[in-house]
Amino acid sequence: MDKHEGRDTGTIRLDDPWYDALAVGWGEGEETSQPTPVPGGGRPAPGASDIYLEVQRSAAFQEVRARYRRFVVPATAGFFLWYVAYVVAATAAPGLMARPVVGAVNVAMLAGLGQFLSTFLLTWAYARHARLRRDRAALDLRWTVFEQERGQDRTRARRAGR
C-alpha cells in the first residue's frame, strides 16, 4: 500500500489485500464452498480454504506462530505467577503487606502499583516483540495469500470468458 498526499489521504486504497477480505465470498451461496470445476474434466481450481490451509502448513506461518508462542506463553505464566503471589501475600502475610515503607505507603500499595506497572511494561514488550519479530513475516504471508487469491480470481475470470 503506497502512501499518498492530498484530499483522500484517509481512504483505503483498493489494492490493500485486507480491504473487505474477510467479507468477500462468505455466505454468498454454494459456489464459494466448492472448487470451481475445470472444463474438460481437469483438476478443479483451489478454493480460498485450500489457499489458507496451504499457508497454514507453510514453514513461514509455523515460524510466526512459534515466535508468538515463545513470547506469549512465558509472559502469561510470569504475569499470572506475579498476580497470584500478590494475592497470596495479601491473604497469607497481612503483617508483611501492612509494613510501612514511606509514610502512609506500605508494601501492599507498592505491590498493587507494581501490578499496574507490570501490565504496562508487558503491553509495551508485547508490542515491541510483535513489531520486531512477527509483523514483517505476517505481512509477507498476507501478501502471499492475497496474490494467490488474485491469481485464482484471474483464472476464474479467464475460464468464465471462454
Side-chain angles (χ1 to χ4, degrees), residues 63-75 121-136:
E63 179 61 26
V64 169
R65 294 299 297 166
R67 288 178 184 176
Y68 172 77
R69 281 187 219 104
R70 280 193 298 263
F71 180 86
V72 169
V73 170
L121 287 174
L122 189 58
T123 302
W124 170 80
Y126 177 81
R128 183 177 186 275
H129 181 269
R131 185 181 71 246
L132 296 177
R133 306 260 193 286
R134 294 191 325 265
D135 286 352
R136 177 67 57 187

Side-chain angles (χ1 to χ4, degrees), residues 30-157:
E30 294 180 23
E31 65 184 356
T32 58
S33 63
Q34 297 179 359
T36 306
V38 175
R43 189 171 166 223
S49 63
D50 297 328
I51 292 171
Y52 285 103
L53 286 173
E54 178 185 334
V55 169
Q56 185 179 9
R57 291 183 192 114
S58 72
F61 181 84
Q62 296 303 322
E63 179 61 26
V64 169
R65 294 299 297 166
R67 288 178 184 176
Y68 172 77
R69 281 187 219 104
R70 280 193 298 263
F71 180 86
V72 169
V73 170
T76 302
F79 187 79
F80 183 72
L81 287 173
W82 160 231
Y83 176 74
V84 168
Y86 173 73
V87 171
V88 168
T91 56
L96 171 70
M97 298 299 270
R99 183 172 294 155
V101 176
V102 175
V105 178
N106 60 19
V107 173
M109 291 176 76
L110 289 179
L113 291 172
Q115 290 285 317
F116 284 103
L117 179 63
S118 64
T119 301
F120 292 122
L121 287 174
L122 189 58
T123 302
W124 170 80
Y126 177 81
R128 183 177 186 275
H129 181 269
R131 185 181 71 246
L132 296 177
R133 306 260 193 286
R134 294 191 325 265
D135 286 352
R136 177 67 57 187
L139 184 62
D140 291 343
L141 283 170
R142 286 181 193 140
W143 279 107
T144 300
V145 170
F146 176 68
E147 289 300 322
Q148 288 178 357
E149 287 180 339
R150 185 184 240 175
Q152 184 183 48
D153 290 344
R154 287 182 189 147
T155 303
R156 284 184 183 149

